Amino acid sequence: MNRTEYYLAVDMGASSGRHMLAHMEEGRLVLEEVYRFENGCSRQDGHRVWDTEKLWHEILTGMKKCAQTGRIPTAMGIDTWGVDYVLLGRDDHLAAKPYAYRDARTQGAEEKVYEIIPEEELYARTGNLRASYNTIFQLMASKWQEPEVLDRAETFLMLPCYFTYLLTGSKMQEYTMATTGQLVDPETKQWDYALIDRLGLPRRLFTHLYPPGTEAGSLRPEVEKEVGFSCRVILPAAHDTASAAMCVPAQPDDTLYISSGTWSLMGCGLPEANRSAKAHAANFTNEGGYQYRFCFLKNIMGLWMIQSVRTEFKEGYTWDGAADDADRDYGYAHLCSRAEKETIASIVDVNDDRFLAPESMIGQVQSACAESGQAVPQSPWEIARVIYRSLAICYRNTAREIEEITGRKYHAIHIVGGGSNARWLNQLTADMTGMKVLAGPGEATAIGNIGAQMIADGVFPDLSAFQSCVYKSFGVETYLPDGKIKV
């Protein structure tokens, strides 16, 4: 009997992580969640940071679960959200706090960087959107605020590459993850060393970039001993959005996609980066994808807003009439279905920086409505309705921008990731945009991560074959615009 080959995706988002095992069965990809854990940045000395020790512990714990179930992976790969990194000293220990992208230390860094290189020139070089949390601004903030850190740092690793190093001992930078930081040349697909020199950043930190599918090595002996097995570690498309884009079952030229999770990344695939003035004005980004295809995207605040208000209500936030409301189910599916039944018509700009890292998301949504003279939502369901409708309107506006910038007409939107399970939001998106919406699979990032491993291992001959298998294995739900939703 042939041994079943398992492939493990460690898929870490900014709010949760999961270990997903996959194998082939009768021509279909079978996916199984082995372990799930909570994530979130913590406070340290007034800064938002990642607890990398905890995350490393969770990675190992999930791997041990694989051994306990007897499902030993042939290979594994790690993906995370973009832009964040670690700096290691000569002893290979952390040389600085593992800052989170929502930390406020980058305030004012953009303007200082633009004194060195104008914003328009920076976009023309890298094609990355303007965002205060980009790696370029994080590193420059460190240079100005704690110069001793960069002086003693010997190694710069994007976050998933750091955990791959802990697994294997190999310090390898993965291409798609690096492109999120605004320091990569979209022509050479390597670091823009002329830009790095111009910024005065230490060139030694920026080592060669490897494409998805590159093998990083096998588990270090001490890791093998702890988890109870050995396997190969393969670099997936380590940026979660690039992995999610890989598993979109169909990518014709008339289909947009949304990778919907903590962030909603909405865009299309392009063979070359679009660094036009129109793309810059609309704040679109060009992030590296599998096989060097570009993900031309707009970052939209996404379900972070729903995640935040859900946490506040679960922690005891009260509202008028709360004492009479016996319904305390704040699950995402229930929030979405209850929101559909409300009537409040207020909307907010989901891309407003006020929603990036507020002390109270509820308070900011209410304030934004009050300041614009709209009805102020009170209950969880009203607040959820404001957020979901605002997201759908943002999707509509973004679709129109993409059509104008690319000169193409799009007829469908494919939503992948956890947000594809928000049924009313999917219907709203169809209604608002007038396009057919295809939803699923929900675990797109993990599936894409596994796809890069399987293609590298010869299970699939190419990306197209993998995508066909994804469609056959998981299918999609279709939502058609019905014209009943009015803005």
Side-chain angles (χ1 to χ4, degrees):
M1 181 179 292
N2 293 332
R3 173 179 176 269
T4 300
E5 300 283 347
Y6 292 97
Y7 294 85
L8 173 64
V10 180
D11 172 29
M12 293 196 291
S15 59
S16 67
R18 60 211 57 82
H19 289 58
M20 306 293 289
L21 272 178
H23 69 279
M24 295 299 297
E25 194 171 294
E26 298 181 350
R28 296 177 184 270
L29 191 63
V30 178
L31 194 67
E32 174 188 2
E33 181 181 305
V34 178
Y35 183 65
R36 183 175 287 261
F37 56 92
E38 294 296 316
N39 188 24
C41 51
S42 55
R43 295 279 188 174
Q44 183 180 337
D45 301 326
H47 291 281
R48 293 175 182 262
V49 300
W50 298 112
D51 188 342
T52 51
E53 289 187 9
K54 174 185 179 295
L55 290 174
W56 175 236
H57 171 76
E58 298 287 12
I59 290 171
L60 295 178
T61 300
M63 293 171 69
K64 292 175 188 177
K65 293 285 186 183
C66 294
Q68 291 167 8
T69 64
R71 297 173 176 85
I72 306 300
T74 297
M76 66 177 292
I78 299 178
D79 68 80
T80 74
W81 62 97
V83 307
D84 284 342
Y85 62 90
V86 299
L87 293 169
L88 304 179
R90 293 180 179 86
D91 58 0
D92 287 334
H93 292 126
L94 293 178
K97 297 180 181 68
Y99 292 107
Y101 64 88
R102 295 186 192 275
D103 184 61
R105 83 190 197 287
T106 58
Q107 290 180 359
E110 289 177 87
E111 289 69 24
K112 293 179 71 173
V113 166
Y114 296 146
E115 292 175 4
I116 301 171
I117 177 169
E119 180 183 351
E120 294 77 11
E121 182 183 350
L122 183 60
Y123 188 84
R125 291 187 77 110
T126 67
N128 287 103
L129 61 81
R130 173 176 181 167
S132 62
Y133 47 74
N134 283 353
T135 312
I136 185 174
F137 302 119
Q138 293 198 49
L139 285 169
M140 294 303 284
S142 287
K143 176 186 174 184
W144 292 318
Q145 297 168 18
E146 44 186 7
E148 70 284 355
V149 166
L150 290 183
D151 289 341
R152 65 172 180 259
E154 289 295 319
T155 305
F156 164 86
L157 288 173
M158 303 298 283
L159 203 56
C161 304
Y162 170 61
F163 292 118
T164 296
Y165 156 68
L166 293 181
L167 287 172
T168 66
S170 299
K171 298 175 182 176
M172 299 176 68
Q173 290 275 32
E174 191 274 331
Y175 162 73
T176 68
M177 186 68 183
T179 64
T180 67
Q182 210 167 5
L183 288 164
V184 173
D185 184 335
E187 300 291 337
T188 66
K189 315 298 192 293
Q190 291 293 325
W191 298 110
D192 186 336
Y193 287 107
L195 172 60
I196 287 165
D197 291 342
R198 188 166 167 183
L199 295 169
L201 294 171
R203 184 185 276 229
R204 68 179 182 276
L205 298 177
F206 302 91
T207 56
H208 184 78
L209 301 180
Y210 294 88
T214 303
E215 185 170 332
S218 298
L219 300 182
R220 291 185 296 129
E222 54 268 44
V223 175
E224 178 182 348
K225 182 179 179 180
E226 181 165 355
V227 301
F229 63 86
S230 185
C231 70
R232 292 177 293 111
V233 180
I234 294 174
L235 299 179
H239 181 214
D240 53 10
T241 303
S243 271
M246 279 184 67
C247 86
V248 173
Q251 296 188 59
D253 287 343
D254 69 343
T255 300
L256 302 173
Y257 61 83
I258 302 173
S259 178
S260 180
T262 300
W263 289 88
S264 289
L265 295 309
M266 183 174 183
C268 60
L270 295 177
E272 297 180 356
N274 185 323
R275 292 171 282 172
S276 65
K278 281 186 177 181
H280 177 221
N283 206 21
F284 275 78
T285 195
N286 295 270
E287 294 175 348
Y290 188 75
Q291 294 181 330
Y292 295 121
R293 188 171 174 83
F294 286 91
C295 303
F296 183 64
L297 303 166
K298 170 162 279 191
N299 280 24
I300 298 168
M301 199 68 72
L303 297 179
W304 157 251
M305 297 177 71
I306 286 289
Q307 292 164 358
S308 297
V309 299
R310 175 177 179 261
T311 297
E312 287 185 65
F313 280 116
K314 286 179 67 178
E315 290 177 350
Y317 186 99
T318 58
W319 65 95
D320 291 344
D324 301 323
D325 192 343
D327 191 343
R328 302 296 184 181
D329 182 356
Y330 301 133
Y332 293 120
H334 189 68
L335 275 172
C336 194
S337 63
R338 278 293 301 270
E340 183 178 4
K341 299 174 183 177
E342 299 296 326
T343 58
I344 189 169
S346 303
I347 60 171
V348 297
D349 177 4
V350 295
N351 286 331
D352 192 318
D353 284 347
R354 71 194 299 162
F355 302 124
L356 184 61
E359 290 298 322
S360 170
M361 185 67 74
I362 293 171
Q364 287 296 338
V365 171
Q366 291 175 328
S367 295
C369 291
E371 291 165 14
S372 57
Q374 302 178 91
V376 177
Q378 298 296 328
S379 73
W381 337 118
E382 287 184 334
I383 292 171
R385 181 180 178 86
V386 169
I387 293 172
Y388 283 126
R389 292 186 74 251
S390 299
L391 281 172
I393 290 170
C394 187
Y395 295 162
R396 179 199 63 192
N397 295 341
T398 301
R400 291 174 178 173
E401 288 178 322
I402 295 172
E403 289 183 334
E404 182 179 353
I405 293 167
T406 63
R408 297 177 182 175
K409 183 67 178 175
Y410 296 90
H411 299 95
I413 301 173
H414 198 124
I415 302 177
V416 297
S420 67
N421 297 316
R423 299 177 63 87
W424 185 54
L425 177 58
N426 296 337
Q427 188 61 58
L428 274 176
T429 303
D431 295 336
M432 294 288 189
T433 62
M435 298 182 187
K436 177 172 66 175
V437 168
L438 308 170
E443 293 289 356
T445 302
I447 295 169
N449 179 326
I450 288 163
Q453 299 178 50
M454 285 184 152
I455 295 170
D457 223 25
V459 178
F460 298 104
D462 52 33
L463 179 61
S464 177
F466 166 69
Q467 290 173 335
S468 296
C469 183
V470 170
Y471 184 85
K472 182 170 66 174
S473 302
F474 302 101
V476 297
E477 290 188 329
T478 301
Y479 298 79
L480 299 175
D482 61 16
K484 293 180 181 178
I485 303 297
K486 304 295 182 183
V487 180

